[in-house]
Amino acid sequence: QVELVESGGDSVQAGGSLRLSCVASEYTWNGYCMFWFRQAPGREREEIASINIDRENSATYADFVKGRFTVDKDNAKNTVYLQMNSLKPEDTATYRCGALQGLCTDYNSGDEMDYWGKGTLVTISS
């Protein structure tokens, strides 16, 4: 069983930045694709970004965050990060990380994650 724990959520003003972290309890997490999702009240869950743990330069992004958000990883710390810049009020949501065994390229929208974190709340004020 892999436990994922997010942190870094906060309340900031529009234009600000936050860096979210997702730490995996599993000491060996090779072979997983890690995802960041978000869900705002009354809205459907959105996939934000993904990254393969054991491949370099594999990050992908949803169009609505390209150029503003960056996902990266520190395998030594079993941690995936989401750097969020130029935040907007519409970025307000609970952000969750998910882990899916396999390559990110094998993921189809709607596939269920193998593991989920509980989420961290991001609130952006105008």
Side-chain angles (χ1 to χ4, degrees):
Q1 184 74 16
V2 176
E3 181 181 10
L4 303 177
V5 180
E6 304 95 335
S7 63
D10 204 347
S11 297
V12 299
Q13 290 192 324
S17 297
L18 286 172
R19 184 171 174 84
L20 306 183
S21 300
C22 171
V23 181
S25 63
E26 183 69 17
Y27 76 96
T28 302
W29 63 338
N30 287 336
Y32 280 91
C33 175
M34 299 299 294
F35 293 82
W36 283 101
F37 292 87
R38 71 184 185 187
Q39 188 164 16
R43 299 191 64 177
E44 292 188 353
R45 187 176 68 203
E46 297 179 303
E47 180 189 344
I48 301 168
S50 66
I51 188 167
N52 284 305
I53 291 304
D54 50 7
R55 291 194 175 185
E56 299 304 317
N57 303 314
S58 68
T60 63
Y61 301 92
D63 287 343
F64 57 83
V65 300
K66 282 182 180 178
R68 297 192 299 127
F69 291 10
T70 303
V71 60
D72 60 14
K73 59 188 176 71
D74 185 337
N75 286 4
K77 296 181 178 180
N78 283 9
T79 302
V80 173
Y81 302 97
L82 184 67
Q83 177 67 41
M84 306 188 296
N85 299 327
S86 302
L87 285 162
K88 306 174 182 179
E90 51 263 44
D91 293 320
T92 295
T94 295
Y95 286 69
R96 299 177 70 187
C97 62
L100 182 66
Q101 195 162 22
L103 296 175
C104 296
T105 50
D106 294 334
Y107 171 75
N108 295 304
S109 180
D111 284 351
E112 190 53 65
M113 297 291 105
D114 292 323
Y115 303 102
W116 282 105
K118 293 182 178 180
T120 186
L121 180 61
V122 171
T123 304
I124 311 302
S125 58
S126 57

